[in-house]
Amino acid sequence: MANPSWGMVIDNDKCTGCNACVIACQSENNIPINEEDHFTQRRPIQWIRIERYWEGEFPNVKARFIPVLCQHCADAPCEPVCPVYATYHNDQGLNVQVYNRCIGTRFCANGCPYQVRHFNFWEPEWPDSLENQLNPDVTVRTRGIMEKCTFCVQRIQRTKRESEKNNTSIKDGDRQLNPACVNGCATDALVFGDFNNPESKVSKMKKKELGHGGHGDHSDHDGHEEHDEKRGYHLLEEYGTHPSVVYLKKVDYESKTVEKH
Amino acid sequence: MNPHVITAKSTLDKKSKINNTLLERHQRNGNYFWRIISLLAVFFILGIIGFVMKLNSGFNDKVIWGYYAAMFAFILTTAQAAPMVAIAPRLAKAHWRRPISRTAEIWSIVGLFNLILFIPILWVLPSLEDRRRSLWFWDAAPGFESVPVFSPHIWTTLALCSLVFIGIMLLWLSALPDLALIRDKGTGWQQKVAKKLSKNWIGTSKQWHWLYHRLGILGALYFAMMVFVHFLISIDFLLVLVPGWIDALLPITHAANALQAGVATMMLTMFCLRKFGGYKDYIGYDQVWGLGKLLFALSLLWFWFWFSSFNVFWYGKKPNELSVIDLLTTGPYLIIFIGVFLLNFVFPLFMMIWNPIRRSFWGPPLIAVGVIIGTFLDRIRLYVAAYSVPGIGDPNVSKHALPTHSLPTHLPEISDVFIMLGYISGSILVFMLATKIIPVINIWEQREVVMYEIHKKFHRTEVKILGKPD
Amino acid sequence: MQEHIQLNQKEINDISLSPILETPKWWLPAVLITFGFIVTGLAAFFYMVYHGLGVTGLNRPVFWGFFIVNFVFWIGISHAGIMISAILRLTQAEWRRPITRAAEVLTVFSLMAALHTPLFHVGRPWRTYWVFPYDFSRGVWPNVRSPFVWDPSAVGTYLIASTLFVIICLLPDLAIIRDRTTGLRSKIYGILCLGWRGTPRQWKMQTIVGILLSALVLPVFVSVHSIVSWDFAVIAGVEGWHSTIFAPYFIIGAIHSGVSAVATFMVVMMWVWKGNDKILRPDHLDAIGRLLIIVATTWFLFLFLEVAFALFTLERPEIALRELQFFKWPFSGLFILFLLTSYFIPVPMWMFKNVRRSLPLMFISTILVNVGMWLERFLIIVPSLSRKTPFAFDWGSYTPSIVEILIVTETFAFVIFGLLLFSKFFPLIPLFDIKEGMVFRDEIKIGRRTVPASIRE
């Protein structure tokens, strides 16, 4: 069987901006609590974040949400610039970060157009009450290194191990496999799965919404969009990163327009 | 009194000898001169035929004018850059330039020829109308409405005219003393022409001061104008034609390539003058050595620019940039691409670091031939490819990115070959005819160096001492 | 115009060796003060290592700040030495002779300053050696595709080459000091000068090595700053950085700031060491001033091209960036200051011969250039990162913290400290080079004029 190529489909139409995915990620991946100071210093660590944009003039203001996480690009700009191979592409389509190798040049963070790489400016600290909450499967990162979304690689690996042990195949949409953010999403806006498996939900959605199996390269940046059924797009396609995350456009029923960031 | 000061001996004998021999050589007709001229004229007529054949298809489709534009750019990068060989060392007060400075300046008259041939491609040059990107920031943006849609045409023509004008003024000024010499001592029709051209030059010290001053200013102006013209040409004829090609370095690379090819042109001209023109006593190792060093340095410089552009595009991996690299380096262009790299960088580098070749008379000119061919190929690669991209008005082409399907490549037709032949021979023809009016070796600069050169005993050897006036 | 004071060889020796044989009064306090700054800076550094990079002003998205600005700045200054020494040596410009040593030494110390700046910058300085291909037990080679691997190798090569260059040019002068000192000092200098006796063969070798090194160091010189520029230019994700022109633009900017720094250093040398003004003449400042006009104007042309092509397509992210860079306070103020100090004040000043030949004015104008060039790097790095992506949600800004400022001061103190130490133990004015120039110099009388001349063209 071919190696899996993990990926995600994010439906902006379903996103309510509730931030549950952010919290789920935070607790799953041992991310230190972002306090007010972190935000005023512009140093919060959020492997997934909800970007909120206001559209229109008061009183007709609409909030637009777009969850942004590491896109696990096939041609990731962060990979070639790392001098110590702390970030590289593995055979499962994941862009992995090796914490032990990282020396903290922050070159990758500059290379990433999605701004999803985070630097540990401080030594991570938790209140005493949360000390026992830490996930034993996830490394606690020290100060001075980069970290970012892993698609919850620990969950993927655990599921893989168990399925090998039980001689079963990995089920699509298995809650044991899904990253924490997908499990936490109340509206199923986030769907996780294997793009190499044509039967998986993500593959079908991608096929339906993006129109073709390969990485999309639309050249219609000029604003004249085709108003057809297909809502799929990649974030910042003009950088040629070929992400593993497919976004689906927001459908605005009031103005009958399709929103695209 | 400073013990180091030496008084120059009377050098009058030597000076009049230089006058007489060079003058005599200038007025004599070589055996092959008119035969070569007629051969070139035949080729030039072929070129005209090719041009007429092209005219049949008109100016509506810019694709077929790609080779013509490439030839225009080729002459711009070789012949019109050659005068820099006179200007730069003159500003740096290097003495080795003296025998070849005039030859370099005569090339500027070819600019006139190129200017005339520039007129047809003005019709092919797209205007700013269809929201075309341009250096002039026309985007129907607020504040830029007053920019005329024909800005590229206007500015390029004006700049090219001034470049040619400055070049010819430079040539005329530097030739003044020599023309006066022909007026006084020459014979025949050349004397009559010289009489008209030399005005009232009698060589007073006031006139000499005026001349030195003007030569310096015009030289600097020529350099500035040349760089400016290359900027305009490379932007209006290359960058804006290809969507997604945003290469801030290309104008500089274009100009650097011109300097390199200009030096190569001079090297070749100099070799021909020595070998076939009978100026063996005047053109020597110093010139090959000086020009060789320049050619070497400029080849390295060209490579550095070329690589800087390429590296940033290749590493950045933006789709619109990769498509530009694709356009310029695939299909038949790949062979040219590699050829240019070899001829313009690898050969000059690895041959010129080899002292026996650098010191020989045949080595550097051979490399110069390579550089000229390389430049020629490079012009074709860039201009033909850029001209083959459908216009911005074409609905298939977006503003920022090339279509992903590969674009057709245009192999030269017979008319293109004729035009190429005619263009080059026409330029050489103009150059050779000009040498009949103006001495191809600078007589007064040659005479001047006699004053600055002194041989002196230094310990056990005799050394040459050269004065450098401030 | 080149009015040289005719000195005999003994006078040259006396002037150039006086800082070594007798210590000036101000020397020790100056050394102590700069050393104090170094200690303060290092203390700040260790404070930062202990607490993490949180004590700086860096944030997301401005991940690179003062340290990288400073790194680029010192790399830029280091281009002075080779520009003056190698290029002017190869083109045989006679006026270079008295300032070659100063320029080379400035190169070496500024390179050292540049090379230890990345230590401050990275998150885990104790692991920085991982960028070198040394550790086979780790089983991971450095990633050769990363400009941060090209950087240490290029800068390292440059440091080795320019140190060699300084040593080769020092040999004859060290031998002179050996002969003029006694006891242990003489012995040490004797070891350092590697048995220099001044035989014709040694002179020949020394000349050949000098020329070879200048020629070989030139490609390194170009590669170093090109690679530093590619640290930025290869990143397609940052609008303000991804420009093909960066390599030559950085180089010419480096030459601009480096040659200015040499001019500043020259003026200081003429002021603080007595007798130096007999060797370093206003002539030399004049020549440097003229060179600087050309360099600065070329640099300005590249700046213009960079901005013109950035705005070429009128894309919205690019316009947002340039709006911040040019028009939003405080960057607008810095931008105007940068334009004034790096071009519009100094270059018109240098147009006047009186300015070029005046010590205080040259000092001020060249210091201004370096203020401007420091700001240039800041304005390239920080605004570009602040407006990095098209996502307006992630735009940011940056204010340096006191820790960063102290550490940056440390590098300046380090360079001055290094130069002071060097001046105590080695001559800053190349004795042999000047004497060689004197032997080659001649004058030719033509009619009523005397024209300076030299052996060899």
Side-chain angles (χ1 to χ4, degrees):
Chain A
M1 206 180 96
N3 276 325
S5 167
W6 301 112
M8 199 181 272
V9 176
I10 298 179
D11 192 342
N12 283 340
D13 200 21
K14 288 183 183 166
C15 179
T16 59
C18 69
N19 274 303
C21 50
V22 181
I23 301 300
C25 175
Q26 201 101 16
S27 41
E28 168 74 25
N29 289 306
N30 294 345
I31 300 173
I33 309 296
N34 289 319
E35 286 160 11
E36 191 182 346
D37 272 357
H38 291 91
F39 284 98
T40 51
Q41 291 171 352
R42 298 184 155 274
R43 292 165 183 164
I45 296 181
Q46 292 174 309
W47 288 6
I48 182 169
R49 65 169 181 271
I50 306 284
E51 296 203 353
R52 183 209 57 217
Y53 295 95
W54 296 110
E55 212 177 71
E57 291 289 314
F58 185 82
N60 299 318
V61 190
K62 284 171 192 145
R64 300 285 190 223
F65 302 105
I66 174 166
V68 181
L69 72 168
C70 175
Q71 309 281 312
H72 293 270
C73 316
D75 283 316
C78 56
E79 284 167 12
V81 296
C82 177
V84 289
Y85 277 123
T87 179
Y88 74 102
H89 223 71
N90 76 359
D91 55 2
Q92 304 187 15
L94 294 180
N95 175 280
V96 284
Q97 176 77 17
V98 185
Y99 304 125
N100 279 341
R101 289 182 191 165
C102 181
I103 58 172
T105 63
R106 309 191 283 293
F107 206 166
C108 52
N110 287 339
C112 177
Y114 306 100
Q115 307 257 40
V116 291
R117 296 188 144 264
H118 301 270
F119 184 71
N120 283 280
F121 284 99
W122 304 104
E123 193 72 42
E125 279 170 12
W126 284 267
D128 287 344
S129 56
L130 288 181
E131 284 294 342
N132 292 332
Q133 177 266 348
L134 292 182
N135 185 348
D137 289 342
V138 179
T139 323
V140 170
R141 281 79 57 188
T142 171
R143 68 182 190 279
I145 60 171
M146 299 302 301
E147 61 182 60
K148 63 161 196 77
C149 164
T150 59
F151 268 171
C152 286
V153 68
Q154 71 279 6
R155 299 171 72 90
I156 297 175
Q157 292 299 89
R158 189 174 57 211
T159 324
K160 213 169 89 181
R161 267 200 314 276
E162 277 173 13
S163 67
E164 274 165 14
K165 201 165 67 188
N166 305 333
N167 263 333
T168 53
S169 58
I170 300 174
K171 280 205 300 285
D172 185 47
D174 186 354
R175 279 185 77 82
Q176 290 294 315
L177 166 82
N178 277 349
C181 53
V182 175
N183 286 343
C185 184
T187 57
D188 280 346
L190 311 177
V191 183
F192 181 78
D194 178 7
F195 278 128
N196 272 355
N197 175 7
E199 296 308 310
S200 69
K201 197 175 171 194
V202 284
S203 294
K204 285 178 185 162
M205 285 174 84
K206 186 180 179 183
K207 202 174 172 191
K208 179 174 163 249
E209 302 285 9
L210 212 53
H212 47 88
H215 294 294
D217 41 6
H218 293 235
S219 50
D220 55 345
H221 306 136
D222 285 80
H224 46 82
E225 276 150 23
E226 301 144 36
H227 293 258
D228 55 8
E229 302 299 307
K230 287 174 183 163
R231 298 191 292 137
Y233 70 100
H234 290 303
L235 222 48
L236 300 180
E237 267 162 312
E238 62 270 30
Y239 290 107
T241 50
H242 302 138
S244 303
V245 179
V246 178
Y247 282 84
L248 306 183
K249 289 171 200 171
K250 168 108 183 140
V251 182
D252 196 333
Y253 292 104
E254 286 163 40
S255 56
K256 293 275 184 283
T257 55
V258 180
E259 167 69 19
K260 176 180 169 182
H261 284 289
Chain B
M1 191 64 207
N2 185 348
H4 283 304
V5 176
I6 334 155
T7 315
K9 277 190 222 120
S10 164
T11 46
L12 279 175
D13 303 345
K14 220 169 164 185
K15 274 155 78 176
S16 62
K17 192 171 158 240
I18 289 177
N19 271 356
N20 293 336
T21 46
L22 278 176
L23 204 60
E24 190 263 337
R25 185 70 202 79
H26 171 60
Q27 299 223 311
R28 196 176 69 209
N29 281 328
N31 295 335
Y32 296 103
F33 186 81
W34 292 109
R35 282 184 226 172
I36 295 174
I37 290 274
S38 31
L39 186 70
L40 288 172
V42 170
F43 280 132
F44 182 55
I45 290 164
L46 263 187
I48 295 174
I49 294 171
F51 181 73
V52 173
M53 283 161 76
K54 275 265 176 282
L55 273 184
N56 278 334
S57 4
F59 291 111
N60 289 330
D61 186 9
K62 74 175 163 49
V63 176
I64 58 160
W65 291 94
Y67 282 93
Y68 190 86
M71 286 320 297
F72 164 74
F74 175 63
I75 297 301
L76 184 77
T77 31
T78 50
Q80 286 192 264
M84 281 313 299
V85 177
I87 293 162
R90 187 180 282 152
L91 288 178
K93 302 186 186 83
H95 289 293
W96 58 261
R97 67 154 205 279
R98 293 176 184 276
I100 52 171
S101 64
R102 174 65 46 71
T103 326
E105 280 154 356
I106 292 181
W107 274 113
S108 70
I109 218 159
V110 177
L112 197 60
F113 172 75
N114 209 21
L115 179 66
I116 295 165
L117 291 180
F118 170 68
I119 297 165
I121 20 179
L122 264 180
W123 268 268
V124 207
L125 200 63
S127 66
L128 291 178
E129 267 160 338
D130 39 11
R131 288 169 62 81
R132 179 164 154 271
R133 299 176 300 125
S134 162
L135 185 64
W136 311 108
F137 294 118
W138 169 273
D139 207 34
F144 294 103
E145 295 94 344
S146 58
V147 176
V149 287
F150 288 110
S151 298
H153 305 63
I154 298 167
W155 287 103
T156 315
T157 316
L158 276 181
L160 203 59
C161 284
S162 6
L163 178 72
V164 171
F165 177 72
I166 295 170
I168 290 172
M169 284 304 287
L170 185 70
L171 172 64
W172 177 62
L173 274 187
S174 109
L176 262 181
D178 291 356
L179 288 170
L181 185 73
I182 301 174
R183 175 194 65 196
D184 295 343
K185 297 197 175 163
T187 50
W189 64 274
Q190 284 158 322
Q191 190 197 14
K192 280 185 194 126
V193 176
K195 200 169 184 176
K196 284 224 170 65
L197 286 176
S198 62
K199 295 285 173 194
N200 49 358
W201 178 270
I202 45 170
T204 62
S205 61
K206 204 175 164 191
Q207 279 178 334
W208 277 109
H209 275 296
W210 179 83
L211 181 72
Y212 283 129
H213 191 225
R214 291 301 180 284
L215 278 181
I217 291 178
L218 277 179
L221 268 182
Y222 191 87
F223 177 60
M225 199 39 97
M226 195 193 82
V227 172
F228 185 58
V229 166
H230 278 278
F231 280 17
L232 290 183
I233 297 289
S234 59
I235 291 168
D236 287 333
F237 284 70
L238 290 175
L239 285 175
V240 293
L241 298 179
V242 184
W245 196 0
I246 307 162
D247 185 352
L249 193 49
L250 186 81
I252 310 258
T253 319
H254 209 279
N257 197 346
L259 293 178
Q260 185 195 9
V263 170
T265 313
M266 264 320 293
M267 182 85 88
L268 192 62
T269 321
M270 193 177 83
F271 180 76
C272 294
L273 278 179
R274 184 187 147 89
K275 195 88 185 163
F276 312 112
Y279 290 105
K280 212 166 188 161
D281 299 340
Y282 292 92
I283 296 168
Y285 280 110
D286 275 359
Q287 284 70 41
V288 179
W289 190 248
L291 274 185
K293 272 197 279 192
L294 266 184
L295 186 62
F296 180 58
L298 289 169
S299 300
L300 290 177
L301 192 72
W302 173 83
F303 168 73
W304 176 49
F305 288 147
W306 176 86
F307 182 72
S308 298
S309 280
F310 185 79
N311 185 43
V312 170
F313 267 29
W314 166 81
Y315 206 114
K317 275 196 185 149
K318 274 183 155 184
N320 57 4
E321 289 171 352
L322 288 183
S323 68
V324 173
I325 290 191
D326 240 27
L327 171 74
L328 298 174
T329 57
T330 47
Y333 297 132
L334 181 65
I335 302 159
I336 299 185
F337 181 71
I338 295 169
V340 170
F341 178 64
L342 290 177
L343 288 171
N344 274 16
F345 171 64
V346 178
F347 288 161
L349 173 67
F350 287 100
M351 305 285 266
M352 296 293 252
I353 54 175
W354 203 16
N355 272 344
I357 289 186
R358 219 143 68 88
R359 291 217 183 89
S360 65
F361 266 115
W362 52 270
L366 194 71
I367 291 158
V369 172
V371 168
I372 292 173
I373 295 174
T375 311
F376 176 75
L377 291 175
D378 199 42
R379 293 308 89 153
I380 287 186
R381 178 177 74 96
L382 294 174
Y383 283 82
V384 176
Y387 266 64
S388 65
V389 174
I392 304 286
D394 192 314
N396 294 324
V397 180
S398 96
K399 201 172 151 215
H400 296 302
L402 273 177
T404 39
H405 60 84
S406 59
L407 291 154
T409 47
H410 291 270
L411 295 175
E413 297 160 13
I414 186 76
S415 53
D416 290 322
V417 177
F418 281 175
I419 283 180
M420 284 188 241
L421 268 178
Y423 218 122
I424 295 173
S425 6
S427 309
I428 301 173
L429 185 74
V430 171
F431 174 81
M432 286 182 75
L433 288 177
T435 59
K436 279 283 106 183
I437 301 170
I438 296 164
V440 73
I441 299 272
N442 199 327
I443 303 175
W444 65 268
E445 281 202 333
Q446 197 62 252
R447 226 166 42 202
E448 204 180 48
V449 75
V450 178
M451 297 192 297
Y452 291 126
E453 195 182 297
I454 274 177
H455 292 269
K456 180 188 166 188
K457 248 183 111 60
F458 184 74
H459 298 293
R460 268 171 297 179
T461 51
E462 203 186 76
V463 292
K464 186 159 88 172
I465 297 172
L466 279 169
K468 284 211 175 188
D470 291 314
Chain C
M1 184 194 74
Q2 295 192 343
E3 80 290 354
H4 294 278
I5 293 185
Q6 290 294 331
L7 299 166
N8 59 34
Q9 303 216 346
K10 185 176 178 303
E11 282 166 331
I12 294 178
N13 284 356
D14 287 344
I15 290 170
S16 338
L17 298 180
S18 70
I20 300 163
L21 301 177
E22 54 208 77
T23 315
K25 274 203 192 83
W26 51 264
W27 186 82
L28 195 63
V31 168
L32 286 179
I33 290 170
T34 48
F35 188 69
F37 274 109
I38 293 178
V39 171
T40 324
L42 288 182
F45 170 56
F46 286 116
Y47 174 77
M48 184 175 77
V49 170
Y50 184 76
H51 288 281
L53 277 174
V55 298
T56 62
L58 299 169
N59 56 54
R60 188 173 66 87
V62 189
F63 281 109
W64 288 3
F66 257 38
F67 298 141
I68 293 288
V69 172
N70 211 40
F71 170 72
V72 182
F73 176 77
W74 283 117
I75 293 280
I77 296 283
S78 77
H79 280 51
I82 298 308
M83 175 68 199
I84 300 275
S85 276
I87 296 182
L88 296 184
R89 177 190 288 251
L90 290 177
T91 53
Q92 296 177 354
E94 284 293 311
W95 60 267
R96 75 169 194 278
R97 291 185 185 275
I99 47 175
T100 47
R101 175 78 43 80
E104 288 154 16
V105 174
L106 189 62
T107 294
V108 171
F109 284 108
S110 55
L111 269 181
M112 289 181 184
L115 262 183
H116 73 269
T117 308
L119 284 183
F120 305 147
H121 166 78
V122 297
R124 300 204 290 173
W126 54 94
R127 293 277 183 255
T128 318
Y129 62 93
W130 282 354
V131 300
F132 295 107
Y134 81 99
D135 180 9
F136 309 105
S137 63
R138 245 170 24 107
V140 183
W141 278 89
N143 178 5
V144 287
R145 282 191 299 167
S146 169
F148 269 10
V149 170
W150 312 341
D151 254 335
S153 58
V155 180
T157 314
Y158 191 38
L159 180 63
I160 292 169
S162 44
T163 314
L164 265 180
F165 204 79
V166 171
I167 292 175
I168 296 294
C169 295
L170 259 179
L171 289 179
D173 296 356
L174 289 177
I176 291 180
I177 309 177
R178 173 197 62 197
D179 298 345
R180 295 179 147 234
T181 46
T182 50
L184 185 64
R185 281 178 79 184
S186 177
K187 281 230 170 63
I188 292 171
Y189 282 113
I191 293 166
L192 285 176
C193 75
L194 304 176
W196 182 270
R197 287 267 176 280
T199 62
R201 186 166 172 276
Q202 283 177 335
W203 276 114
K204 196 180 169 193
M205 302 258 283
Q206 199 256 3
T207 312
I208 291 176
V209 170
I211 289 174
L212 262 185
L213 266 180
S214 352
L216 290 177
V217 88
L218 268 180
V220 181
F221 153 90
V222 172
S223 76
V224 166
H225 222 59
S226 303
I227 288 172
V228 169
S229 81
W230 290 332
D231 289 348
F232 307 103
V234 296
I235 299 287
V238 184
E239 285 295 335
W241 290 358
H242 190 57
S243 171
T244 49
I245 207 169
F246 258 41
Y249 173 47
F250 270 48
I251 296 265
I252 193 78
I255 294 173
H256 185 31
S257 74
V259 175
S260 297
V262 170
T264 315
F265 189 35
M266 259 176 77
V267 175
V268 174
M269 275 167 73
M270 287 154 91
W271 276 339
V272 301
W273 282 288
K274 66 175 190 294
N276 268 358
D277 53 348
K278 286 186 188 135
I279 293 174
L280 293 167
R281 303 296 302 161
D283 271 348
H284 300 112
L285 276 181
D286 191 5
I288 278 205
R290 277 183 288 176
L291 178 70
L292 273 173
I293 294 177
I294 298 171
V295 171
T297 308
T298 321
W299 168 80
F300 194 73
L301 174 77
F302 277 86
L303 171 71
F304 168 77
L305 271 183
E306 202 258 323
V307 175
F309 273 84
L311 296 173
F312 192 61
T313 48
L314 295 175
E315 276 170 5
R316 278 167 62 201
E318 191 71 58
I319 288 177
L321 158 67
R322 300 295 160 176
E323 203 183 350
L324 174 80
Q325 203 175 25
F326 301 159
F327 301 117
K328 291 253 172 75
W329 186 260
F331 295 112
S332 59
L334 292 177
F335 185 73
I336 289 169
L337 192 64
F338 148 67
L339 281 185
L340 286 178
T341 51
S342 59
Y343 193 82
F344 287 106
I345 293 176
V347 173
M349 275 173 80
W350 295 330
M351 291 293 188
F352 298 99
K353 198 170 175 183
N354 291 342
V355 175
R356 290 201 302 264
R357 301 174 74 85
S358 132
L359 299 191
L361 288 177
M362 273 309 268
F363 180 76
I364 292 167
S365 59
T366 50
I367 286 276
L368 280 185
V369 168
N370 273 314
V371 171
M373 293 312 288
W374 204 92
L375 283 174
E376 183 214 17
R377 278 64 178 251
F378 182 79
L379 285 167
I380 286 174
I381 293 171
V382 172
S384 304
L385 285 177
S386 311
R387 291 284 177 273
K388 193 176 117 189
T389 65
F391 294 141
F393 190 79
D394 299 298
W395 286 358
S397 69
Y398 166 77
T399 324
S401 75
I402 185 77
V403 174
E404 280 173 287
I405 293 168
L406 281 178
I407 292 176
V408 164
T409 324
E410 186 269 348
T411 58
F412 284 84
F414 173 83
V415 173
I416 297 171
F417 179 71
L419 291 174
L420 284 173
L421 279 192
F422 187 91
S423 76
K424 179 70 195 90
F425 299 109
F426 306 104
L428 267 176
I429 290 188
L431 298 133
F432 85 93
D433 219 356
I434 292 179
K435 290 175 190 167
E436 188 186 65
M438 278 173 52
V439 174
F440 284 146
R441 195 163 61 232
D442 243 319
E443 272 161 347
I444 297 177
K445 210 167 164 120
I446 300 168
R448 271 170 298 174
R449 271 183 77 201
T450 315
V451 174
S454 72
I455 296 176
R456 312 186 291 189
E457 199 190 339

